[in-house]
Amino acid sequence: MLNLILFGPPGSGKGTQALRLIDRYHLVHISTGDLFRQEMGRETPLGKEAKAYISRGELVPDHITIGMLRNKVNAHPEAEGFIFDGFPRTLAQAEALDQLMAEEGTTIHLLIALDVDDEEIVRRIRGRAAISGRADDANDTVVRNRLAVYKNETAPVFDYYAKQGKSHRIDGMGSVEEIFQRLCTLIDQTIHSLKKGALI
Ligand code: UDP
Ligand code: MG
């Protein structure tokens, strides 16, 4: 198995790159943000609850997000591995993910953070708002809050996996293809180490 966390601030390109990576490495893509948007679109109780937080740019509480993630992982017993996109966003979520992976007899192998500067993030989110219709992309106050939440609550997840020797950063500025190549180089190195038995 290969279990990868794609990490980075809102608008850093996680979703775009995840779609390319699943094709290349035959992984299952789990974006908790996309799952919440599906629930909101269907107006389920979970969607209604999540909407209140998302519209303010706050995090949906850990127990809700972890429960939803767990269901999604359990729904894919055939998976050759997972790409976690936009999760974990807190240290408690990282601990829960590690526990879930251990229950499945596997582990997180790699976290890759996409480094993108704040100015570029704001530019990308504005562009996305125009086509996605996402209310949380269209409001500057909400976007600023999402960036603050990322810095305060989510950034520590990088250090959490760094302590396990699993965190890497790549330059997230450039063309989609250039960034994809950087990701593939790092993932191929990890697969190579896994084959040599250097990682679990
Ligand atoms: N969200 C959350 N927990 C998650 C994923 C998403 O609370 O695990 C909420 C949060 O309010 C966030 C919003 O959903 O601001 C959009 O998240 P998404 O990952 O889709 O946006 P991105 O960061 O990719 O721009
Ligand atoms: Mg996303």
Side-chain angles (χ1 to χ4, degrees):
M1 275 191 109
L2 179 72
N3 300 308
L4 162 70
I5 297 169
L6 262 189
F7 195 74
S12 56
K14 304 181 295 285
T16 302
Q17 295 296 340
L19 291 183
R20 299 178 146 235
L21 292 169
I22 52 172
D23 255 9
R24 173 130 170 182
Y25 295 100
H26 311 292
L27 304 171
V28 173
H29 177 209
I30 302 185
S31 159
T32 42
D34 288 350
L35 293 174
F36 283 132
R37 280 184 287 279
Q38 284 164 21
E39 299 282 342
M40 290 193 293
R42 296 204 306 268
E43 297 185 354
T44 63
L46 173 61
K48 285 181 189 157
E49 191 166 10
K51 190 173 184 176
Y53 298 97
I54 292 174
S55 64
R56 294 191 294 260
E58 293 169 9
L59 292 182
V60 180
D62 285 338
H63 70 278
I64 298 175
T65 309
I66 291 166
M68 183 178 71
L69 186 277
R70 194 174 255 280
N71 287 339
K72 188 76 182 172
V73 169
N74 288 335
H76 288 280
E78 81 296 348
E80 290 174 41
F82 292 95
I83 297 184
F84 297 101
D85 158 5
F87 182 95
R89 268 173 146 93
T90 63
L91 288 175
Q93 290 180 10
E95 284 164 5
L97 180 60
D98 279 359
Q99 196 190 324
L100 177 60
M101 292 291 101
E103 286 167 21
E104 302 285 324
T106 184
T107 189
I108 292 294
H109 298 100
L110 179 64
L111 176 151
I112 309 179
L114 296 167
D115 256 340
V116 177
D117 60 47
D118 284 4
E119 208 178 303
E120 172 70 6
I121 284 168
V122 170
R123 204 183 64 79
R124 287 188 195 174
I125 291 180
R126 288 217 175 104
R128 188 169 70 181
I131 46 173
S132 71
R134 274 177 59 175
D136 65 336
D137 280 349
N139 180 308
D140 280 353
T141 311
V142 174
V143 171
R144 266 199 301 279
N145 195 38
R146 286 161 61 199
L147 286 170
V149 167
Y150 175 78
K151 282 171 189 164
N152 296 330
E153 297 189 53
T154 305
V157 171
F158 184 92
D159 301 321
Y160 173 89
Y161 283 105
K163 288 194 187 109
Q164 301 181 23
K166 294 171 178 172
S167 291
H168 298 262
R169 279 183 196 288
I170 63 159
D171 183 0
M173 306 280 287
S175 71
V176 170
E177 184 57 33
E178 279 165 350
I179 298 161
F180 181 64
Q181 290 307 327
R182 289 174 199 141
L183 285 165
C184 290
T185 302
L186 202 49
I187 294 169
D188 290 344
Q189 282 167 4
T190 303
I191 291 173
H192 186 70
S193 315
L194 278 167
K195 285 195 176 134
K196 287 196 309 189
L199 294 165
I200 318 165

